[in-house]
Amino acid sequence: MLSQKQAEEAIVSSYDETSAENDCGGGGKEEEKAEDQPIFSISNALWHGGSAWDAWFSCASNQVAQVLLTLPYSFSQLGLLSGIVFQIFYGLIGSWTAYLISVLYLEYRSRKEKEGASFKNHVIQWFEVLDGLLGPYWKAAGLAFNCTFLLFGSVIQLIACASNIYYINDHLDKRTWTYIFGACCATTVFIPSFHNYRIWSFLGLGMTTYTAWYMTVAALVHGQAEDVQHSGPKKLVLYFTGATNILYTFGGHAVTVEIMHAMWKPQKFKYIYLLATLYVFTLTIPSASAVYWAFGDQLLNHSNAFSLLPKSAWRDAAVVLMLIHQFITFGFACTPLYFVWEKVIGMHDTKSICLRALARLPVVIPIWFLAIIFPFFGPINSAVGALLVSFTVYIIPALAHMLTYRKAAARKNAAEKPPPFMPSWAAMYAINSFIVIWVFVVGFGFGGWASVTNFVRQVDTFGLFAKCYQCKPAAAAHLPPPHH
């Protein structure tokens, strides 16, 4: 068996020889050259990303999209202290399970390459890792949870686009805006792979950074609303709904394997997700805390923070930047679905971008349709968090790691040993067991009950195909100004 260092070198060497992605210009060593090429190239600078920095930008950008706007809503359900504690708690265990996914990816790849497998023009995905390490039943579970999560993750981006643009232009209702943005987001079918998100990831993180600090400053400048109250938590249903929304916030792992596979040296990914999460804390905690401080219980009926912040050029700029970022995040969530669909219909090896784009279009249509049926911005985040993210992001990776290394021989020949700060395999098992039990009971159990209850209330109140969810009543929105 290869030693750990030899296994890592084999992975890097093989990856350089056979690039993971298949841009229209065709495969091969293009990405390897992009890393080492001394001459500046616009194409390499903007398009071909496979460095550790690219992965960091992708992880950080993908974590904080529209969730920024719903975290104040979660704080109103949880209260300030619980909101901050849950963010730190789920951020850290989310980083741990992302680390586990990276370890399992390296283990799978190491084993397959010892067998002579080649990944030229093939993107490894999470369900394939589970299949290779644990068998077809795990593959089915991983595929079902991951694809459903990514499907609704994409739906949430469309709902968020319509919700945000409405605060700039309310001449069209939110459902009409969903039609428009569905057509815009469909253009992501032309982005071949995660190699090609370099400039988008960089810009996306800049956009969410601006929005987060705009929310913080605008809330502080506005000051506390008249008769503001901070009574949360008041009800168990609301408390666990808010907690599962935060669980969802740090659940960007559905694209972790694809981001790793787009790296020139994927073994460098180990701690990237943790570093991305630490940066995300600097955006989410100040913005959610400040907006909750300013508006308190009003947020219980305003799941989008933009609806309470005063209209200004700064707010409109934040809305526009978030719209662009949600387009990017839609692409992030849809790209793994595109890969799965391409593999199902036998188009994954096709080098033509146009043919692949045409083949991908059927993936966008059900997403578009679901966004029109369920336009509930905050509640759907919590429901997805409890029912899907809890398994996809936390439970399945922890269980898969324990089962993969349950035998002494597997632990002895592991491509990745426990990290330096972890004293033994037993300690890793203890942490993984805690995560499985906690997330199953609190996240899936209590969170599932609370978020589904809240979601059903929204359907009963607003109905399916709601034309304008949480909009001002038409009469109130267009009353003539009072006479003096």
Side-chain angles (χ1 to χ4, degrees):
M1 290 291 183
L2 293 175
S3 67
Q4 179 183 354
K5 185 175 180 181
Q6 289 172 323
E8 288 185 358
E9 289 173 350
I11 291 170
V12 176
S13 173
S14 173
Y15 196 86
D16 286 342
E17 290 170 6
T18 57
S19 173
E21 310 291 352
N22 51 348
D23 296 345
C24 205
K29 301 184 180 180
E30 188 173 354
E31 282 75 21
E32 177 193 357
K33 291 176 183 176
E35 185 186 32
D36 301 320
Q37 191 173 12
I39 300 172
F40 178 78
S41 163
I42 294 293
S43 174
N44 288 340
L46 303 182
W47 188 249
H48 295 294
S51 69
W53 277 107
D54 288 306
W56 182 85
F57 277 113
S58 293
C59 289
S61 177
N62 190 46
Q63 262 192 52
V64 285
Q66 93 298 332
V67 175
L68 262 182
L69 309 176
T70 62
L71 283 175
Y73 167 67
S74 298
F75 272 41
S76 70
Q77 297 168 320
L78 288 163
L80 183 64
L81 179 61
S82 290
I84 294 172
V85 169
F86 270 117
Q87 277 205 46
I88 295 171
F89 176 69
Y90 282 127
L92 293 178
I93 67 170
S95 299
W96 174 255
T97 52
Y99 169 78
L100 298 181
I101 291 172
S102 72
V103 167
L104 293 172
Y105 167 88
L106 293 172
E107 183 68 39
Y108 168 77
R109 184 151 188 172
S110 175
R111 291 184 187 183
K112 297 299 286 186
E113 286 171 348
K114 289 173 189 174
E115 297 170 3
S118 171
F119 297 105
K120 184 175 184 178
N121 294 339
H122 181 92
V123 179
I124 297 174
Q125 293 188 267
W126 177 227
F127 69 89
E128 293 168 317
V129 173
L130 291 173
D131 184 29
L133 297 177
L134 297 172
Y137 292 111
W138 280 86
K139 173 186 176 181
L143 192 60
F145 278 108
N146 232 40
C147 288
T148 310
F149 169 38
L150 290 167
L151 179 76
F152 279 98
S154 304
V155 168
I156 288 167
Q157 300 311 317
L158 282 188
I159 296 170
C161 284
S163 178
N164 290 345
I165 191 64
Y166 182 78
Y167 297 115
I168 291 181
N169 184 338
D170 60 0
H171 295 296
L172 299 177
D173 59 74
K174 291 182 183 178
R175 188 169 66 193
T176 303
W177 281 119
T178 305
Y179 292 136
I180 294 168
F181 279 99
C184 295
C185 289
T187 59
T188 58
V189 297
F190 290 100
I191 302 176
S193 70
F194 281 98
H195 272 303
N196 313 118
Y197 274 95
R198 166 172 275 187
I199 187 62
W200 293 115
S201 297
F202 176 77
L203 291 175
L205 189 58
M207 293 166 186
T208 49
T209 299
Y210 170 86
T211 302
W213 286 108
Y214 154 72
M215 289 167 61
T216 305
V217 173
L220 294 175
V221 170
H222 176 276
Q224 290 190 312
E226 188 177 354
D227 298 326
V228 67
Q229 292 185 332
H230 301 88
S231 55
K234 289 198 293 187
K235 297 179 181 177
L236 278 179
V237 169
L238 295 179
Y239 188 83
F240 286 109
T241 300
T244 50
N245 186 42
I246 293 179
L247 179 144
Y248 168 83
T249 302
F250 297 96
H253 305 39
V255 296
T256 298
V257 171
E258 289 83 358
I259 290 173
M260 278 190 74
H261 197 78
M263 294 176 70
W264 295 307
K265 297 180 179 179
Q267 82 278 11
K268 288 185 175 182
F269 185 86
K270 298 175 196 173
Y271 306 116
I272 283 175
Y273 200 91
L274 173 61
L275 296 174
T277 299
L278 293 177
Y279 179 77
V280 167
F281 284 155
T282 70
L283 306 182
T284 57
I285 294 176
S287 60
S289 301
V291 175
Y292 177 57
W293 169 81
F295 298 103
D297 290 354
Q298 289 184 49
L299 287 157
L300 289 169
N301 298 314
H302 295 83
S303 54
N304 188 330
F306 281 149
S307 63
L308 289 174
L309 292 169
K311 184 174 177 60
S312 67
W314 297 102
R315 192 195 73 168
D316 289 352
V319 171
V320 170
L321 292 177
M322 284 304 291
L323 287 171
I324 299 169
H325 186 261
Q326 279 150 0
F327 166 82
I328 298 167
T329 309
F330 182 93
F332 264 107
C334 264
T335 298
L337 292 176
Y338 295 153
F339 292 156
V340 172
W341 178 245
E342 287 169 0
K343 292 171 184 177
V344 168
I345 64 174
M347 292 286 287
H348 191 56
D349 293 335
T350 303
K351 293 184 178 181
S352 169
I353 288 179
C354 295
L355 280 177
R356 290 178 71 186
L358 192 63
R360 291 170 169 189
L361 277 176
V363 176
V364 179
I365 294 170
I367 293 169
W368 204 350
F369 188 61
L370 286 168
I372 295 165
I373 298 177
F374 303 113
F376 313 123
F377 187 55
I380 199 173
N381 282 6
S382 299
V384 169
L387 304 180
L388 299 172
V389 175
S390 56
F391 283 94
T392 300
V393 171
Y394 301 97
I395 294 174
I396 290 178
L399 280 177
H401 189 273
M402 289 192 287
L403 291 174
T404 298
Y405 298 108
R406 65 190 181 279
K407 295 180 180 177
R411 294 193 294 273
K412 181 180 179 181
N413 299 304
E416 286 288 327
K417 304 298 182 186
F421 58 85
M422 192 61 57
S424 65
W425 283 97
M428 293 195 74
Y429 269 72
I431 291 175
N432 291 344
S433 299
F434 168 77
I435 290 172
V436 170
I437 294 168
W438 174 276
V439 175
F440 185 78
V441 174
V442 177
F444 176 71
F446 289 110
W449 159 73
S451 58
V452 170
T453 301
N454 190 36
F455 188 80
V456 169
R457 285 177 183 169
Q458 303 301 318
V459 174
D460 290 342
T461 304
F462 294 94
L464 300 177
F465 297 96
K467 190 172 184 179
C468 211
Y469 173 67
Q470 287 189 343
C471 297
K472 296 176 182 177
H478 300 291
L479 282 175
H483 294 288
H484 295 289

